[in-house]
Amino acid sequence: RTTTKSEEGKTTTMMRSSSLGLMLLLGLQSTVLTECFVTPTRLAKHRVPVMMNNNNDDNDNNVFDRFSSPRIDDAGLPIADAMVAQVAGPSLHLIWIRLASAPLPSWLATGGSVLPPTLIHGAALASCWLAGAVAAKAYERECFDLSMGGYGTVVWRVAKGGAFAVGLLLLGTQLDLFLEYGRYVQPGESEEIDFRLLTAIVEFINDVFFEAVAILSWRLYRASLTADQPGS
């Protein structure tokens, strides 16, 4: 009975944290889509000042303005980013687990179908990357058009957005642990807590690594599509 209650508690905690990730992702997507499909008149009025302030990375607008009025030069790029982060990243993780015969992550250890928990976990990861990409201004044309920025700009903006996303993921991991135990935990309290913290650290590193591989590969491929265009 104790084991059953413990498993039910973990399942409830995972569903709660996954629901939080889904809500955050939907909120970010709605904001991005609003900016992508505004009317041309509003787009012209809304974008011109931002474009003027974004000519210099070292003297740009503040982070709040990047979220409240992001500059998005490719309406489909945020959607593609979300799909890559939600599906490709976790899929690479699962492929590696299969090839290495590694233990299943906690978000997949409940048994049953693989697809729903993978998509739910991927939604939380995608929400972190979308926020990081907006913060790093990774939807401006120079970040995916080689005629304006080059591969160096692509990699640099992905790295900046990834750093922001890693910070959000770290906060989410800490929140998940807090919800699971109902308090702040630290190493050395018990063998069970030490094992849980070690598991969280390993899963955190895996999430960061496979998301970085997926996002960077996709962004480099997206930039390569502009290599043969006039002016590149």
Side-chain angles (χ1 to χ4, degrees):
R1 180 178 301 179
T2 304
T3 304
T4 302
K5 289 183 178 180
S6 177
E7 292 178 353
E8 290 178 353
K10 289 183 180 180
T11 303
T12 302
T13 301
M14 185 170 60
M15 292 177 62
R16 186 163 42 194
S17 60
S18 300
S19 300
L20 181 63
L22 279 174
M23 292 174 62
L24 181 58
L25 174 63
L26 291 175
L28 285 170
Q29 286 181 335
S30 63
T31 302
V32 170
L33 289 176
T34 300
E35 292 296 327
C36 289
F37 299 106
V38 291
T39 60
T41 303
R42 181 186 167 192
L43 185 62
K45 293 180 179 179
H46 195 60
R47 268 177 156 182
V48 170
V50 179
M51 291 176 66
M52 292 175 62
N53 291 332
N54 278 300
N55 290 333
N56 189 349
D57 250 358
D58 298 328
N59 189 25
D60 54 8
N61 53 319
N62 59 50
V63 175
F64 178 78
D65 290 337
R66 299 185 194 182
F67 284 98
S68 62
S69 56
R71 173 183 159 192
I72 301 174
D73 293 328
D74 184 350
L77 189 55
I79 301 173
D81 274 2
M83 294 178 62
V84 170
Q86 182 179 9
V87 179
S91 297
L92 290 176
H93 190 180
L94 293 181
I95 292 173
W96 174 81
I97 289 175
R98 179 70 174 178
L99 295 177
S101 299
L104 293 177
S106 60
W107 48 268
L108 196 60
T110 55
S113 177
V114 174
L115 184 60
T118 301
L119 293 179
I120 292 174
H121 182 69
L125 298 177
S127 64
C128 293
W129 165 247
L130 286 177
V134 172
K137 301 188 295 181
Y139 295 119
E140 298 179 1
R141 182 164 299 279
E142 53 265 30
C143 299
F144 56 85
D145 191 336
L146 296 182
S147 64
M148 299 183 64
Y151 285 112
T153 302
V154 176
V155 174
W156 176 238
R157 292 292 179 89
V158 169
K160 290 174 65 176
F164 192 95
V166 168
L168 291 180
L169 183 58
L170 181 59
L171 290 177
T173 301
Q174 293 176 332
L175 177 62
D176 180 61
L177 291 170
F178 184 84
L179 292 175
E180 181 175 342
Y181 289 97
R183 61 184 179 86
Y184 174 76
V185 294
Q186 56 185 353
E189 294 187 15
S190 66
E191 291 184 1
E192 178 186 355
I193 290 179
D194 288 347
F195 180 78
R196 180 65 184 89
L197 292 178
L198 180 61
T199 301
I201 292 173
V202 172
E203 292 179 0
F204 175 82
I205 294 174
N206 287 337
D207 285 337
V208 171
F209 175 77
F210 290 108
E211 285 293 312
V213 171
I215 291 294
L216 184 58
S217 300
W218 152 243
R219 281 306 192 102
L220 290 175
Y221 170 75
R222 173 64 181 84
S224 69
L225 297 179
T226 65
D228 297 330
Q229 295 180 2
S232 297

